[in-house]
Amino acid sequence: RERYELRRRAIEEKLELQQAKSRATTTSNVQRALAGNFIIAAAKLAAAMSSGSSAMLSEFVHSVVDCGNQALLLVGLSTSHQAADRSHPYGYGKAIYFWALVSALGTFFLGAGVSMTHAVGELMNPSMTTEVPMEVWGVLGMSFAVDGYVFGKTVQGVKASMRIDGDGGSFWKYATTKVRDPATLAVLLEDGA
């Protein structure tokens, strides 16, 4: 009986350690994505101000929304660590799913709404130019590099999880069937797109 109890405790401790490591990895993925989105938003604002491009201004707002979404995911991750209490006897572990939903809705409604507003405004009062300013190309290249870095680091983390789980299948199959962390999936999908 005592031997069984020791073994059970060792297994529980190992599980807790794996969960803590997984949470830390997810948190660093989201923090990296937030920092990347902040850098991109600053570059888009600078390009919008220097070129007068309404498209760049719309892209700036889109990046600010992305920053807000990453912040919401961090709130969810932080809340999910709270222990069970009287008002939540099963704990807060699923809070990340709620905040991921709020984040996704924010991306859709705020990002799409602001883009639509600028698009309609541009259609009503066109300011067509035949030349794309160099600032816009610079922001595009820099955004590609920053999002590529964030995406690459997140893919590395998922591949490491694949090795730990002993899964020898394809990355895509693993990401779509085994990864249950909405924050990691959000970073993968946003930066992959």
Side-chain angles (χ1 to χ4, degrees):
R1 171 119 178 133
E2 190 176 309
R3 188 182 217 181
Y4 169 77
E5 216 29 62
L6 285 173
R7 189 170 190 187
R8 186 183 62 77
R9 271 194 235 143
I11 291 171
E12 284 177 359
E13 287 173 6
K14 184 178 178 182
L15 258 171
E16 286 176 17
L17 185 64
Q18 286 174 339
Q19 287 175 341
K21 186 176 178 184
S22 176
R23 285 183 192 138
T25 300
T26 299
T27 300
S28 72
N29 285 338
V30 175
Q31 288 172 338
R32 190 179 306 115
L34 177 60
N37 284 329
F38 184 76
I39 291 167
I40 292 169
K44 287 178 179 177
L45 178 62
M49 292 180 79
S50 73
S51 70
S53 170
S54 64
M56 268 294 109
L57 184 60
S58 178
E59 281 298 312
F60 162 71
V61 172
H62 174 85
S63 292
V64 169
V65 170
D66 284 346
C67 289
N69 292 334
Q70 301 303 334
L72 289 174
L73 290 174
L74 286 174
V75 167
L77 286 168
S78 173
T79 304
S80 69
H81 296 310
Q82 292 179 3
D85 58 21
R86 181 172 251 163
S87 63
H88 292 86
Y90 296 112
Y92 294 83
K94 303 297 181 190
I96 184 63
Y97 293 98
F98 170 76
W99 289 107
L101 174 66
V102 171
S103 172
L105 291 172
T107 298
F108 181 75
F109 289 116
L110 288 175
V114 169
S115 293
M116 268 313 254
T117 302
H118 281 138
V120 169
E122 190 63 28
L123 285 173
M124 300 307 260
N125 302 312
S127 63
M128 302 266 303
T129 61
T130 58
E131 188 176 307
V132 177
M134 285 308 294
E135 299 98 329
V136 173
W137 290 111
V139 168
L140 181 63
M142 193 268 314
S143 297
F144 185 75
V146 170
D147 276 341
Y149 170 76
V150 171
F151 180 70
K153 294 299 268 183
T154 305
V155 167
Q156 283 178 346
V158 172
K159 284 185 176 183
S161 295
M162 280 177 68
R163 285 191 296 276
I164 291 170
D165 291 347
D167 193 319
S170 75
F171 175 81
W172 180 251
K173 184 176 179 185
Y174 182 82
T176 58
T177 60
K178 303 274 172 122
V179 176
R180 295 286 178 240
D181 178 14
T184 299
L185 288 174
V187 172
L188 273 176
L189 293 174
E190 178 191 337
D191 291 327

